[in-house]
Amino acid sequence: MNGIKNQRQAVLDRTLSRSGLRMTRQRQTVYDTLMDQRDHPTADEVFSRVKRTMPTISLATVYNCLEKLVDCGLVRQVNRDRESTRYCANLKEHGHFYCRQCGSVHDIDLPSGQPADLGLALPEGFRVDQLDVNLRGVCPECGAKQQS
Amino acid sequence: MNGIKNQRQAVLDRTLSRSGLRMTRQRQTVYDTLMDQRDHPTADEVFSRVKRTMPTISLATVYNCLEKLVDCGLVRQVNRDRESTRYCANLKEHGHFYCRQCGSVHDIDLPSGQPADLGLALPEGFRVDQLDVNLRGVCPECGAKQQS
DNA sequence: CATCTTTTTTAGAATAATTCTTGATATTAA
DNA sequence: TTAATATCAAGAATTATTCTAAAAAAGATG
């Protein structure tokens, strides 16, 4: 029972050791937390979720774990302006939509392929290796509320 | 002589008062600084540039002025991850390219029109009113250096 | 012009997120 | 087991930014 978590754990273990890192209970819990509820929590939010099952963990450790997960590519940092960094376990290339009313963050699929495909008029000579797309507006839930 | 600065000043004056704000020597100088050298400086960098002609200005004032300029729409804030906010006096819709080698920031034209035109597969119900595109990579200058 | 009002500036304190430091603890290797 | 290394944890430190409160400047009014 609970094959999903076992499989997830195997991926984590493999990926960590590929980066010369050890699998620890803390990393596992932090990773599980991100995978279980994929709503782009801040480090602080992750901290309070993890504390529920591991009350002795410290915020510094959560930051450390998140950093390692980002380093080994299992987790992405998501930033909007200078607000707290959020963490995202969706590895597919995607952008983010921020609802200015409820503050929720939604993943938005990007057209696969190179950034050039976005139709950007990139002058000669720029080599792009990362693309970051952020949208701001009103999400469907808030939009609906407003109409009524 | 110096018609450009006079014209610029007139625009600033008009725009400020449209927002119920006064034209001050500090705001004028901060705005001029951004318009004169359009390289996306941080507040701190603006501060040190402004100090050259106005040695008594304080950093808080620079922050205040920048905030007002942003409020009244003459200046845009530009963020990359959680680094210091940068300020940009280019009002045309555009994205930003960050060179990971020299740290320079370049404006990148976006295809005019709605965000949907970027080819984003936006699910039904999202109303977008702001689009933010950041690219990361190597700029032409650094690319050329590397080849040789 | 003198006075009153409002806005702006300023210096320094406060804040918030994150990183750093250092010693304790756990894990692996020998 | 012992040694070596990696990780964790608690709190201090850092950094960018905002807040606060008082002084200065600008504009309006009589």
Side-chain angles (χ1 to χ4, degrees):
Chain A
M1 36 70 187
N2 222 331
I4 289 172
K5 291 226 174 169
N6 285 338
Q7 197 180 330
R8 181 188 292 173
Q9 187 177 328
V11 169
L12 176 59
D13 198 352
R14 206 169 339 111
T15 311
L16 283 170
S17 58
R18 199 186 307 133
S19 301
L21 296 167
R22 290 175 189 163
M23 171 76 137
T24 68
R25 217 157 45 86
Q26 286 83 346
R27 286 171 186 167
Q28 200 175 302
T29 311
V30 166
Y31 185 57
D32 266 340
T33 299
L34 287 177
M35 293 296 273
D36 281 345
Q37 197 177 334
R38 294 158 163 258
D39 57 352
H40 308 84
T42 61
D44 219 65
E45 179 59 31
V46 172
F47 178 46
S48 62
R49 289 182 195 171
V50 169
K51 265 197 298 197
R52 298 207 269 265
T53 53
M54 189 181 272
T56 62
I57 199 170
S58 77
L59 179 57
T61 299
V62 171
Y63 270 108
N64 287 341
C65 292
L66 289 170
E67 186 192 353
K68 295 308 176 192
L69 291 174
V70 170
D71 285 353
C72 73
L74 284 177
V75 167
R76 241 181 82 182
Q77 288 187 307
V78 177
N79 290 101
R80 166 192 146 133
D81 300 343
R82 276 187 53 88
E83 287 173 14
S84 309
T85 297
R86 292 166 178 279
Y87 295 85
C88 170
N90 176 358
L91 291 180
K92 267 198 328 193
E93 172 114 344
H94 67 280
H96 291 101
F97 178 97
Y98 299 90
C99 178
R100 63 171 79 255
Q101 256 163 67
C102 64
S104 65
V105 183
H106 301 256
D107 291 350
I108 300 295
D109 285 337
L110 295 183
S112 56
Q114 291 313 297
D117 293 355
L118 264 186
L120 298 175
L122 206 60
E124 198 67 33
F126 286 91
R127 194 176 72 233
V128 174
D129 48 46
Q130 204 185 110
L131 170 64
D132 207 27
V133 175
N134 291 338
L135 304 171
R136 212 152 312 180
V138 182
C139 74
E141 291 84 54
C142 292
K145 249 177 252 163
Q146 213 149 45
Q147 296 239 319
S148 56
Chain B
M1 37 68 187
N2 223 335
I4 289 171
K5 291 225 173 166
N6 285 337
Q7 196 181 330
R8 179 188 293 172
Q9 187 177 326
V11 169
L12 176 59
D13 198 352
R14 208 173 332 115
T15 312
L16 283 171
S17 56
R18 199 185 307 133
S19 301
L21 296 167
R22 289 178 187 163
M23 170 75 136
T24 67
R25 218 156 45 84
Q26 286 81 348
R27 287 173 183 165
Q28 200 175 301
T29 311
V30 166
Y31 186 56
D32 266 342
T33 300
L34 287 177
M35 293 295 272
D36 281 346
Q37 198 177 333
R38 294 160 162 258
D39 57 351
H40 308 84
T42 61
D44 218 65
E45 178 60 28
V46 172
F47 179 46
S48 62
R49 287 181 196 173
V50 170
K51 265 198 295 195
R52 298 206 270 264
T53 54
M54 189 182 272
T56 63
I57 199 170
S58 76
L59 178 57
T61 300
V62 170
Y63 270 107
N64 288 340
C65 292
L66 289 170
E67 186 192 355
K68 296 308 176 191
L69 292 173
V70 169
D71 285 353
C72 74
L74 285 176
V75 167
R76 240 181 82 182
Q77 287 187 306
V78 177
N79 290 101
R80 167 193 144 131
D81 299 342
R82 277 188 49 89
E83 288 174 14
S84 308
T85 297
R86 293 166 177 279
Y87 295 84
C88 170
N90 177 358
L91 292 180
K92 266 197 328 194
E93 172 114 343
H94 67 281
H96 291 100
F97 177 96
Y98 299 89
C99 178
R100 64 172 77 256
Q101 256 162 66
C102 65
S104 65
V105 183
H106 301 256
D107 290 349
I108 300 296
D109 285 335
L110 295 182
S112 56
Q114 291 313 299
D117 294 355
L118 264 186
L120 297 176
L122 205 60
E124 199 66 34
F126 285 92
R127 194 175 72 234
V128 174
D129 49 46
Q130 205 186 107
L131 171 64
D132 206 28
V133 175
N134 291 332
L135 305 171
R136 212 151 312 181
V138 182
C139 74
E141 292 83 53
C142 291
K145 250 178 250 159
Q146 214 149 44
Q147 297 240 319
S148 58

